[in-house]
Amino acid sequence: LVDWNIQPVEMYAKAGEVKFVVANEGIRRYEFQVGEYVEQKLLINAKNTSELVLNLAPGDYKVFSPMQGHEKAGMIATLHVA
């Protein structure tokens, strides 16, 4: 994560257990969420790193910051799981 951006904007993973290591290199606190897994989203302070492990089925997932206005500002990416 960087300010108002998730990089890379296209991600790929194999179905099953997927581990996300998310570094917030921005100057603001951001949330990180994959698809509808609301109960397992991350809140990451500036200049910190957090981990999230999800068991994902094949498909395409929206990866985004669900904080108000963040997705609209460009904090969105796509995860392709095969």
Side-chain angles (χ1 to χ4, degrees):
L1 304 174
V2 294
D3 288 322
W4 307 111
N5 199 341
I6 295 177
Q7 295 176 2
V9 296
E10 297 283 329
M11 297 175 255
Y12 300 87
K14 291 184 180 182
E17 189 174 279
V18 178
K19 180 178 182 180
F20 298 89
V21 179
V22 185
N24 178 357
E25 302 198 3
I27 60 172
R28 295 171 177 81
R29 180 173 53 176
Y30 291 113
E31 289 183 355
F32 177 87
Q33 182 176 330
V34 178
E36 299 302 318
Y37 291 89
V38 177
E39 68 282 351
Q40 296 177 324
K41 65 185 172 187
L42 298 175
L43 180 60
I44 310 168
N45 288 323
K47 308 301 181 196
N48 282 288
T49 300
S50 293
E51 294 182 2
L52 175 65
V53 177
L54 297 173
N55 189 11
L56 299 176
D60 292 333
Y61 295 83
K62 176 171 71 171
V63 178
F64 63 108
S65 174
M67 297 174 89
Q68 184 176 8
H70 288 201
E71 183 179 348
K72 190 173 186 177
M75 293 202 73
I76 185 168
T78 302
L79 171 65
H80 305 283
V81 178

